[in-house]
Amino acid sequence: MHLQLNWKQGMAFQTTTPSGHDVTLDAGEDVGGLNTGPRPTEMLLQATAACTGIDIVSILHKMRLPLERFEMKIDGVRATEHPKKFTAIHILYILDGDMPEERVRHAIELSVDRYCSVSHSLNAMMTYSYQLNGGDVIPFK
């Protein structure tokens, strides 16, 4: 994969992804940015959730399970000292549909353990939980 980022002004960088999507990343005004785009760390959390979410949707589809709604809540904890990396990330999967819990759990396990390249690229403690059809939140790994 190859990317090119071009500095625009202040702390802003613009890039076009290999799939053809334009993205502007910037910093907050408190550190010299102009707030013209998301922070790189925000995108990292979003990418982590989207990566595992895409996996889970794909796996549930292959299982022919009727996913009706899927939401994720992701929390990241960053170190206080530079490089202020993520030290812990938690994802809560909220799913609705007529799906057996054990199959949903298996789909999540496959994403978490095998497929999500973004989360596997991070050096953070990853934890997960899920909620199916408004039931209890079940801790996972």
Side-chain angles (χ1 to χ4, degrees):
M1 186 180 305
H2 174 78
L3 293 170
Q4 177 176 325
L5 281 81
N6 298 308
W7 177 65
K8 299 315 258 176
Q9 63 179 350
M11 300 289 176
F13 285 84
Q14 191 279 327
T15 186
T16 300
T17 66
S19 57
H21 300 279
D22 292 331
V23 177
T24 299
L25 299 163
D26 199 356
E29 294 174 1
D30 58 324
V31 293
L34 298 174
N35 196 30
T36 60
R39 313 300 176 261
T41 50
E42 293 171 340
M43 296 297 291
L44 184 59
L45 279 183
Q46 288 178 323
T48 303
C51 180
T52 187
I54 288 168
D55 291 341
I56 292 166
V57 168
S58 175
I59 293 164
L60 292 174
H61 178 75
K62 288 176 185 171
M63 291 179 175
R64 300 182 191 272
L65 294 175
L67 180 63
E68 296 170 11
R69 185 179 77 89
F70 185 17
E71 175 183 326
M72 288 172 279
K73 295 182 179 181
I74 185 166
D75 292 301
V77 176
R78 294 178 64 192
T80 56
E81 299 296 320
H82 287 287
K84 295 185 181 181
K85 69 178 187 167
F86 284 104
T87 58
I89 296 173
H90 180 80
I91 300 175
L92 168 60
Y93 302 102
I94 303 167
L95 304 101
D96 288 324
D98 185 17
M99 303 176 290
E101 183 178 340
E102 62 275 358
R103 308 248 348 247
V104 171
R105 184 178 181 94
H106 182 64
I108 295 169
E109 283 177 339
L110 286 172
S111 175
V112 166
D113 293 340
R114 186 181 302 172
Y115 294 118
C116 182
S117 57
V118 177
S119 63
H120 284 277
S121 297
L122 300 174
N123 186 19
M125 183 167 100
M126 301 288 300
T127 58
Y128 306 88
S129 57
Y130 66 94
Q131 180 183 45
L132 182 58
N133 296 317
D136 292 336
V137 173
I138 300 169
F140 184 87
K141 295 205 178 218

